[in-house]
């Protein structure tokens, strides 16, 4: 496999992941970003913790989707993240239903 073949494969994988994201984003209520991952979730619990003078975040997600091109199963029942880095949680706006 040449470097160009590998680059093309990675580009196709990223495009497929973006398309999957676009298809599923409407199923979720929150977007969550950590330093390592990007998630969509319907349940979010973010707790600020401290130990030995250090502050960290404990994040629990329920009914989630993980942005990770290398995961074969991106839908997960629950996720727990512990991090010393920033965590960003945004509630997604729901489109109004039109009849």
């Amino acid at each position: 496999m040449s470097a160009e073949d590998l680059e093309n494969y990675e580009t196709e994988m990223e495009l497929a992941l973006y398309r999957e994201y676009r298809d599923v984003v409407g199923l979720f209520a929150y977007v969550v970003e950590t330093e390592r991952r990007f998630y969509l979730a319907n349940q979010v619990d973010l707790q600020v913790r401290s130990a030995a003078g250090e502050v960290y975040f404990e994040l629990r997600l329920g009914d989630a989707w993980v942005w990770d091109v290398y995961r074969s199963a991106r839908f997960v029942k629950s996720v727990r993240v512990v991090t010393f880095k920033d965590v960003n949680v945004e509630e997604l706006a729901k489109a109004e239903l039109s009849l």
Side-chain angles (χ1 to χ4, degrees):
M1 179 178 269
S2 71
E4 184 177 338
D5 290 340
L6 182 58
E7 186 174 322
N8 289 339
Y9 173 76
E10 288 176 349
T11 300
E12 288 175 23
M13 293 292 290
E14 285 287 336
L15 183 57
L17 183 60
Y18 170 75
R19 288 179 178 144
E20 182 178 331
Y21 163 82
R22 188 184 60 202
D23 291 343
V24 302
V25 69
L27 302 173
F28 297 94
Y30 299 95
V31 172
V32 180
E33 292 178 90
T34 69
E35 80 278 3
R36 297 192 62 204
R37 294 277 190 280
F38 177 88
Y39 302 91
L40 298 172
N42 283 319
Q43 299 153 354
V44 176
D45 179 32
L46 178 62
Q47 300 293 319
V48 179
R49 309 274 192 211
S50 63
E54 296 288 330
V55 174
Y56 65 95
F57 302 98
E58 182 176 0
L59 176 66
R60 292 184 185 270
L61 307 175
D63 186 25
W65 181 89
V66 184
W67 179 288
D68 187 341
V69 73
Y70 300 107
R71 287 180 70 101
S72 59
R74 286 185 268 281
F75 288 96
V76 291
K77 184 176 180 177
S78 64
V79 176
R80 179 176 176 253
V81 177
V82 176
T83 180
F84 289 95
K85 306 282 185 166
D86 291 340
V87 175
N88 184 41
V89 177
E90 296 179 29
E91 187 170 5
L92 293 169
K94 292 292 180 187
E96 301 221 5
L97 296 175
S98 58
L99 300 174

